[in-house]
């Protein structure tokens, strides 16, 4: 049990600080920019995304056990993980619709956006193909990485929200206000996270 918790924690920390899908791979950036305008929507979306990615991590791990020995695995793996997301969406929709109908009416649109985005797909696709978290480690690492991806998304939205709030200052040139300044800000944060990994410049 302690080993499971340790692997889960290590994978979650790696997903937040080393393999942050927003700042290191730009997965889910467009979705983040659409929810970052409202703190309440930002918080609700991030919580829902974390639940979705964690549940998807379990099913993706189970699916990976089946397909990882197939010689044509790389050709069907993306489609398999997309089907996993569809399965999680159907399960979540059915549970919310019959158990929490009021919540379903309020969050049905957000649920759709939380499931079908690049961050959710990256949360279950990256563990199989990176040097930090290996698919061979087991369920704990898959769940940890998937959970950490949701936390990383929330952290990214908080950083971008605070940054965009300060980027409205009057001393910023008019052509750079709004989206241009936000993209430059995200780029600088991405370089900071990229440097945290320890990559060296090619010159």
């Amino acid at each position: 049990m302690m080993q499971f918790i340790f692997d889960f924690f290590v994978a979650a920390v790696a997903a937040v600080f080393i393999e942050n899908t927003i700042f290191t791979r730009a997965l889910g950036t467009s979705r983040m920019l659409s929810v970052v305008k409202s703190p309440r929507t930002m918080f609700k979306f991030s919580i829902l995304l974390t639940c979705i990615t964690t549940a998807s991590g379990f099913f993706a791990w189970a699916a990976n056990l089946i397909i990882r020995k197939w010689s044509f695995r790389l050709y069907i793996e993306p489609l398999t993980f997309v089907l996993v997301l569809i399965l999680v969406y159907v399960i979540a929709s059915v549970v919310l619709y019959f158990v929490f109908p009021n919540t379903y009416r309020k969050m049905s649109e957000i649920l759709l956006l939380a499931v079908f985005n690049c961050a959710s797909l990256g949360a279950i696709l990256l563990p199989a193909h990176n040097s930090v978290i290996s698919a061979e480690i087991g369920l704990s690492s898959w769940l940890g990485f998937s959970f950490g991806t949701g936390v990383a998304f929330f952290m990214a939205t908080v950083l971008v929200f605070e940054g965009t709030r300060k980027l409205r200052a009057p001393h910023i040139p008019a052509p750079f206000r709004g989206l241009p300044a936000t993209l430059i800000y995200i780029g600088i944060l991405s370089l900071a996270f990229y440097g945290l990994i320890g990559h060296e410049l090619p010159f």
Side-chain angles (χ1 to χ4, degrees), residues 17-19 23-25 130-132 190-203:
F17 295 106
I18 300 177
E19 293 286 349
F23 295 131
T24 63
R25 300 178 185 272
N130 70 62
S131 59
V132 180
S190 299
L191 288 174
F193 273 84
Y194 192 76
L196 186 65
I197 301 174
H199 291 291
E200 296 182 358
L201 294 176
F203 52 84

Side-chain angles (χ1 to χ4, degrees), residues 103-186:
T103 304
Y104 177 77
R105 283 193 292 270
K106 295 178 182 178
M107 302 188 67
S108 58
E109 184 176 350
I110 298 179
L111 176 64
L112 183 66
L113 297 176
V115 174
F116 299 106
N117 65 78
C118 295
S120 297
L121 182 59
I124 58 178
L125 188 60
L126 290 178
H129 297 286
N130 70 62
S131 59
V132 180
I133 304 299
S134 172
E136 306 297 331
I137 294 179
L139 175 61
S140 57
S141 293
W142 276 73
L143 290 178
F145 192 90
S146 301
F147 174 80
T149 300
V151 175
F153 184 90
F154 177 69
M155 184 186 72
T157 57
V158 171
L159 290 173
V160 173
F161 176 78
E162 286 299 317
T164 54
R165 188 169 60 87
K166 295 180 179 180
L167 288 172
R168 300 189 188 102
H171 62 270
I172 296 178
F176 286 96
R177 292 176 192 168
L179 184 61
T182 301
L183 293 178
I184 293 173
Y185 174 69
I186 293 174

Side-chain angles (χ1 to χ4, degrees), residues 95-108:
V95 171
L96 288 176
Y97 182 81
F98 288 103
V99 182
F100 306 104
N102 293 330
T103 304
Y104 177 77
R105 283 193 292 270
K106 295 178 182 178
M107 302 188 67
S108 58

Side-chain angles (χ1 to χ4, degrees), residues 46-139:
S46 299
I47 292 295
L48 190 57
L49 179 70
T50 304
C51 295
I52 292 298
T53 54
T54 305
S56 300
F58 173 78
F59 290 107
W61 168 79
N64 184 69
L65 290 179
I66 299 173
I67 69 172
R68 67 181 179 182
K69 296 181 180 179
W70 297 352
S71 58
F72 52 92
R73 165 194 171 182
L74 293 178
Y75 299 102
I76 66 169
E77 188 178 65
L79 176 61
T80 301
F81 289 157
V82 169
L83 293 176
V84 166
L85 290 176
I86 294 174
L87 174 64
V88 171
Y89 174 73
V90 170
I91 293 174
S93 298
V94 170
V95 171
L96 288 176
Y97 182 81
F98 288 103
V99 182
F100 306 104
N102 293 330
T103 304
Y104 177 77
R105 283 193 292 270
K106 295 178 182 178
M107 302 188 67
S108 58
E109 184 176 350
I110 298 179
L111 176 64
L112 183 66
L113 297 176
V115 174
F116 299 106
N117 65 78
C118 295
S120 297
L121 182 59
I124 58 178
L125 188 60
L126 290 178
H129 297 286
N130 70 62
S131 59
V132 180
I133 304 299
S134 172
E136 306 297 331
I137 294 179
L139 175 61

